[in-house]
Amino acid sequence: MQLLLNQAPISTGLLMCLAPVVDTPPTATTLSPSVCVAIIGSGLLACLVNVSQFYVINAVGPVSSTVVGHVKSCMIVGLGWAVSDRSMSMQSCIGIIMAFLGMSL
């Protein structure tokens, strides 16, 4: 818990310094209201994920918190595949299934 509390401000500072240099900001022609809502929504959801990490670590401990992080990663990959029109290889499917089985065990 203390490590996360010490790490969060440093990460925020680094992101605030590096994001303007590394990221390409949207232009005036592509900055529609829906893009603004998506950017603000993404930031709010990222904030909620970070805050929820404090509660997960406090409630179940650091090992379970790591497992929850891996579940989240697998869900992001699975949902990204489901939403996109790309096909998923058999190896990727087996990898995600093995990861979920390992986490559940």
Side-chain angles (χ1 to χ4, degrees):
M1 192 74 159
Q2 187 65 37
L3 178 63
L4 187 59
L5 187 64
N6 290 338
Q7 179 265 340
I10 295 170
S11 295
T12 303
L14 286 172
L15 282 173
M16 288 177 68
C17 293
L18 292 176
V21 176
V22 177
D23 286 342
T24 305
T27 60
T29 58
T30 61
L31 196 58
S32 66
S34 62
V35 171
C36 290
V37 168
I39 291 171
I40 292 169
S42 176
L44 290 173
L45 288 174
C47 182
L48 288 174
V49 166
N50 289 331
V51 169
S52 70
Q53 194 70 14
F54 283 104
Y55 291 112
V56 170
I57 289 173
N58 190 33
V60 295
V63 174
S64 296
S65 171
T66 302
V67 171
V68 169
H70 290 304
V71 169
K72 180 183 70 172
S73 297
C74 288
M75 287 178 64
I76 289 169
V77 169
L79 288 172
W81 167 74
V83 171
S84 71
D85 291 332
R86 293 187 229 164
S87 62
M88 192 170 196
S89 70
M90 183 57 79
Q91 289 176 331
S92 296
C93 290
I94 291 171
I96 289 176
I97 290 169
M98 287 177 61
F100 275 121
L101 285 173
M103 288 178 271
S104 62
L105 291 175

